[in-house]
Amino acid sequence: MTSEDSPDEETPAERKMRFLFQLRSRGVTDPRVLAAMERIDRGVFVRGQFADRAYDDTPLPIPCGQTISQPSVVGLMTQALAVGARDTVLEIGTGSGYQAAVLAGLSRRVYTVDRHRRLVQEAEVIFRQLNISNITAQVADGSRGLPDQAPFDRILVTAAAEDPPGPLLAQLKIGGIMVVPVGQSDAVQTLIRVTRTEGGFDYDELRQVRFVPLVEGLGQT
Ligand code: SAH
């Protein structure tokens, strides 16, 4: 391979085109979601030894033993959530802050919580750098939701639960949508979409995914 063929030599514009092409080829087709993901540079959320892989369609390690999700999974989950410009969204699992930043471009306000203080603080620094002002990040046990701000139009859970947590179902508006990976934490999980109706909840199975577990209680760091 000559230096001209090397991915290191990719221009930012080429890198962005490759990133968006990967998303489309994996089923992210909603133009609003693609535009929101085009605006948020994933490279800002991945630091250290994995920074050069930020534009690959792969999950990557972040501090506190957690992971930033695969871009196509971020896109497919965001698409399944069908977020509207007036919606208030709750995200459980801030992690790097990338998913919250994508959601912020599509909604009125995003509340995002993580059990690790370090992750919340680092994500807040990035939101400020990017001039994103409609995200509220908070250290909290997301398995209990965020009762003070409830109810929500949309809830996105980015860690796997055995079942959709009851407090989150209770904090969803009627007509609201929640997307959550369910299943045993060490196995392949199923991404499901829960829609709250007047009479109860409708469940759709979307696809197989693999997420870190939703852990009750706050982290040590
Ligand atoms: N959405 C993130 C990726 C999340 S990884 C991103 O875009 O980068 C899953 C995150 O869920 C981890 O950061 C983990 O700390 C968090 N988490 C796990 N259990 C939790 C809980 N009960 N409450 C809040 N956050 C939790």
Side-chain angles (χ1 to χ4, degrees):
M1 191 152 139
T2 69
S3 64
E4 278 144 73
D5 299 329
S6 150
D8 296 343
E9 302 299 318
E10 235 179 8
T11 65
E14 286 166 346
R15 214 168 53 193
K16 185 174 274 188
M17 272 175 56
R18 180 168 60 89
F19 184 76
L20 291 170
F21 179 80
Q22 283 175 151
L23 291 176
R24 280 196 209 92
S25 68
R26 300 210 161 138
V28 184
T29 50
D30 181 328
R32 286 183 70 235
V33 174
L34 286 166
M37 292 184 74
E38 184 173 358
R39 285 193 300 269
I40 302 295
D41 181 359
R42 188 171 184 252
V44 176
F45 296 86
V46 181
R47 268 156 295 182
Q49 57 175 319
F50 299 102
D52 60 338
R53 299 183 59 192
Y55 306 97
D56 294 350
D57 193 28
T58 182
L60 292 170
I62 58 171
C64 305
Q66 305 303 315
T67 52
I68 177 172
S69 312
Q70 190 177 343
S72 58
V73 171
V74 169
L76 291 168
M77 287 175 89
T78 307
Q79 193 165 280
L81 205 60
V83 185
R86 300 166 65 92
D87 286 348
T88 298
V89 184
L90 172 64
E91 181 198 24
I92 308 301
T94 312
S96 66
Y98 177 63
Q99 171 77 72
V102 170
L103 290 170
L106 293 166
S107 63
R108 189 168 64 80
R109 173 147 298 273
V110 177
Y111 293 91
T112 181
V113 302
D114 205 287
R115 57 191 294 279
H116 289 288
R117 182 170 302 280
R118 174 175 174 189
L119 295 176
V120 170
Q121 287 174 340
E122 292 184 3
E124 282 181 312
V125 170
I126 299 177
F127 301 150
R128 271 197 297 275
Q129 276 169 4
L130 298 180
N131 276 319
I132 300 175
S133 56
N134 60 337
I135 301 179
T136 305
Q138 207 167 301
V139 182
D141 176 359
S143 61
R144 296 159 186 264
L146 202 55
D148 291 351
Q149 306 298 338
F152 299 97
D153 299 293
R154 299 288 184 265
I155 300 179
L156 182 58
V157 187
T158 65
E162 280 186 29
D163 294 299
L168 296 183
L169 291 171
Q171 291 172 31
L172 197 57
K173 280 188 193 166
I174 291 173
I177 298 174
M178 170 159 73
V179 172
V180 51
V182 294
Q184 300 296 327
S185 60
D186 53 351
V188 169
Q189 305 127 7
T190 306
L191 188 66
I192 63 166
R193 176 172 46 204
V194 184
T195 307
R196 185 164 196 175
T197 62
E198 292 277 354
F201 297 93
D202 288 342
Y203 295 85
D204 296 311
E205 290 191 4
L206 302 177
R207 55 182 276 140
Q208 302 299 302
V209 285
R210 192 158 193 166
F211 275 85
V212 298
L214 187 73
V215 179
E216 287 190 18
L218 297 184
Q220 297 299 308
T221 53

